[in-house]
Amino acid sequence: MLGLTKKDFTLFVVVIVMVALAPFLLNPFPQGSSLAQMFNAGYPDLMQRFVIFGILVIGFNILFGLTGYLSFGHAAFLGVGSYSAVWMFKLLGMNVIPGILLSMVVAGIFALAIGYVSLRRSGIYFSILTLAFAQMSYNLAYSVLGNPSSNFNLTNGETGLQLLLTDPRILGQSTTPDGSLPVTNFFGIAMRDSYELRLGDWLFTFNAGYYLCGIIMLISFYISIRIFRSPFGMMLRAVKSNQQRMNYTGLNTKPYTLAAFVISGVYAGLAGGLLSSMDPLAGAERMHWTASGEIVIMAILGGVGTLIGPILGAGFNEYFKNILSKINDSVLHQWLGFLPDGIEDFLVTIIHPFVGKGWHLTLGLLFMIVIIFLPGGLVEGGKRLGGMITGRTRRSAKAEAKQRNHPAE
Amino acid sequence: MGILEVKNVNKRFGGLQALGDVNLSIAEHSVHAIIGPNGAGKSTLLNCLVGKLMPDTGSVLFDGQSVLGRKPYQINQMGISRVFQTPEIFGDLSVLENMMIPCFAKRDGSFGLNAMTNMLKDREIVERAEHMLEEMNMADKRHMHSASLSRGDKRRLEIGMCLSQEPRLLLLDEPTAGMARADTNNTIDLLKQIRDQRDITIVIIEHDMHVVFSLAERITVLAQGTPLVEDTPDKIKGHPKVREAYLGETQAA
């Protein structure tokens, strides 16, 4: 089906269903309950982030998962894409399509230039080079190209690039009749338009922007499956496995790695363009090295080199980031209220650094746990669970994994 | 003129003259062995032939064309395949995939952006790869992870990968190094079979005299970077200079 094997097609259908039903799946608790406030994730803003970061990590996985080249500067392409899209909204009009297309093109050109230089080295040197380029881009965006008083203000520095009432928007309108900023739309469907469905105590939100991003993510995912199963994908895995043998088999590794780098850069640019399409504001912090690090973390969390891993990793990361940063001391007191006062205060003091503003700490710990116990990420976790259910003992799975890692000589 | 002509090749690493005025002519459809004690420059010479090293002076002509200054993948596309001392295969890939990669390289050249077709649906390539696996007696292992093959099987796979490209010249760098006797004999049989059945020239660098004398038609003895003698195996066995430089040592030991 669709040029996919049966197994891949099943996986694709599962992802389609998940994306389509996400507003239900992510809202398991009735509206207004305290659990809903904390754990429901079915609101447009967060769902959009799930799929957009999904796209970003799917693209990153084509580079890192297949070729093994660890780019530590992918946020640069995300940022470049964001700025490009906002410029389209400023100059051309509020339809998201030109913005998304331009963000992919510009990010692709960026990736070609950065990749051409960085891919002269491999391993840690490659990572450092990409990191250096990303930080250069960040600093350019933050100060050099973003001085509001200069004539060449590309990024608007610290404030971030935003829409103004005075923007030309030659194909659209500078301001709406009531004097406010126009909103981003897809041929008339505003991105922030939502349809709300009330079923008993439950409230489900179906957001136009989310579904646009969702469809684009499904297309991206489909393309990534095709790449994984193609001769090109096999060559990329060969690059990771043994470059020496590749060279002596008449294959030039350079264009392969560069193509993978550009493809993943275009994916990142697309994600950036979509972020701006959902909320037309682009800031330099999207290019910061911590953002690049987060992409790596999401990929590893999900399972590097697997098809579904990137989506799981992005979802996991965004979801826990969201929950953990919402928990504050008063929520903790509410949860632990059944304990004697002394113990309650003590526990709140202990947990306090791990939640709210300290969400990095918990996520870091979760990341460490996954790395140590599930080197293959959440996908490996799922496989082990599946193995336990179908009766294959954990030991045999482990032995198999061991054999894979340490071949018998 | 031979298929491979090495003329006045010199290579110096700092103060060490690794190769000094090497002249070598390899006749087409022959098996030519290069032997010599450790440090004689055998591997350096081989690396000069495949583009890994650039000689300081001299020329290397393959079928009348210079290989110097070309990248390893370009030289391979000219028709020279190389087997390494430790088998170099794609350990993360399955045996079948390992065999498919050289088939793609042979058909599609050094780069192809063939990203939207399913590789297993490419009948031509899959059939060629499976045919080659059968020839190597490895068809039953096609779905195995290649890193988990035995040393001997890895060697067979590597040789098969090289042959699937139908090279005109096959370079083997100590193909039986570190192998048990049984595996060594299997490899000798395989190489004999290749020599007899294929339209190919083989250059073999080897330490193991048993391998050399059972395969080679001509032998070049290299010592301290210079060819000492070149002759048939029988004459090499009795040559006094060779005994002194090489075989003498092993006999004394």
Side-chain angles (χ1 to χ4, degrees), chain A residues 125-144:
Chain A
Y125 303 102
F126 168 80
S127 304
I128 297 291
L129 277 171
T130 50
L131 174 63
F133 276 116
Q135 276 304 85
M136 267 161 61
S137 312
Y138 167 75
N139 280 312
L140 283 174
Y142 196 77
S143 51
V144 182

Side-chain angles (χ1 to χ4, degrees), chain A residues 1 3-5 8 222-235 237-257 259-260 263 403-409, chain B residues 47 50-52 72-73 76-77 80-84 88-93 97 100-102 104-105 109-122 145 147-151 154 158 161-162 165:
Chain A
M1 281 289 219
L4 303 180
T5 60
D8 291 339
Y222 175 73
I223 293 174
S224 112
I225 301 179
R226 294 293 294 255
I227 290 177
F228 265 64
R229 302 292 179 235
S230 72
F232 175 71
M234 181 169 67
M235 295 303 177
R237 282 186 294 138
V239 168
K240 184 181 187 177
S241 187
N242 192 338
Q243 290 212 27
Q244 166 125 309
R245 182 28 91 200
M246 255 191 116
N247 283 322
Y248 288 97
T249 309
L251 292 161
N252 190 0
T253 51
K254 235 188 190 160
Y256 280 107
T257 46
I263 291 170
Q403 204 187 357
R404 258 206 307 277
N405 294 333
H406 308 283
E409 270 287 17
Chain B
N47 284 333
V50 294
K52 196 170 185 185
Y73 74 88
N76 176 277
Q77 291 281 359
I80 301 180
S81 278
R82 175 183 181 174
V83 173
F84 287 81
E88 293 278 356
I89 53 173
F90 302 108
D92 300 335
L93 274 54
E97 285 171 329
M100 284 168 71
I101 286 174
F104 275 116
S110 60
F111 174 69
L113 195 57
N114 194 354
M116 284 296 123
T117 56
N118 187 332
M119 60 180 178
L120 294 173
K121 296 235 169 83
D122 198 327
H145 210 243
S148 53
L149 292 173
S150 73
R151 178 65 171 259
K154 280 183 187 164
E158 193 189 22
M161 286 163 71
C162 288
Q165 297 191 296

Side-chain angles (χ1 to χ4, degrees), chain A residues 372-389:
Chain A
I372 294 166
F373 296 103
L374 292 172
L378 297 173
V379 170
E380 192 186 331
K383 272 187 193 154
R384 281 199 197 167
L385 265 179
M388 272 183 238
I389 291 164

Side-chain angles (χ1 to χ4, degrees), chain B residues 37-216:
Chain B
N38 280 330
K42 305 185 295 290
S43 295
T44 309
L45 177 61
L46 192 74
N47 284 333
C48 288
L49 305 183
V50 294
K52 196 170 185 185
L53 287 176
M54 182 75 181
D56 300 333
T57 60
S59 67
V60 178
L61 297 180
F62 173 69
D63 200 20
Q65 282 180 298
S66 175
V67 304
L68 297 184
R70 293 183 202 244
K71 297 262 170 58
Y73 74 88
Q74 291 167 325
I75 293 174
N76 176 277
Q77 291 281 359
M78 289 167 76
I80 301 180
S81 278
R82 175 183 181 174
V83 173
F84 287 81
Q85 195 168 339
T86 40
E88 293 278 356
I89 53 173
F90 302 108
D92 300 335
L93 274 54
S94 77
V95 171
L96 179 63
E97 285 171 329
N98 265 277
M99 199 54 97
M100 284 168 71
I101 286 174
C103 296
F104 275 116
K106 171 82 180 165
R107 191 189 67 182
D108 300 343
S110 60
F111 174 69
L113 195 57
N114 194 354
M116 284 296 123
T117 56
N118 187 332
M119 60 180 178
L120 294 173
K121 296 235 169 83
D122 198 327
R123 290 314 312 168
E124 184 194 343
I125 295 288
V126 174
E127 270 164 28
R128 203 196 289 192
E130 290 196 329
H131 177 76
M132 201 64 222
L133 284 176
E134 265 161 39
E135 206 169 308
M136 292 288 123
N137 284 330
M138 297 185 77
D140 53 328
K141 300 190 173 98
R142 76 179 72 145
H143 293 304
M144 262 175 87
H145 210 243
S146 69
S148 53
L149 292 173
S150 73
R151 178 65 171 259
D153 279 343
K154 280 183 187 164
R155 172 64 72 213
R156 291 182 88 80
L157 177 60
E158 193 189 22
I159 292 175
M161 286 163 71
C162 288
L163 290 180
S164 70
Q165 297 191 296
E166 289 159 17
R168 296 182 60 199
L169 178 62
L170 182 65
L171 302 174
L172 298 138
D173 189 358
E174 302 201 22
T176 63
M179 267 190 197
R181 193 84 257 176
D183 275 341
T184 303
N185 287 334
N186 284 339
T187 309
I188 293 174
D189 290 342
L190 177 65
L191 292 173
K192 275 184 180 160
Q193 187 192 329
I194 294 166
R195 175 189 70 188
D196 298 340
Q197 293 175 359
R198 283 176 176 268
D199 178 25
I200 198 169
T201 312
I202 298 177
V203 172
I204 181 167
I205 286 180
E206 190 48 86
H207 246 95
D208 189 332
M209 288 303 121
H210 172 57
V211 179
V212 172
F213 287 122
S214 46
L215 279 171

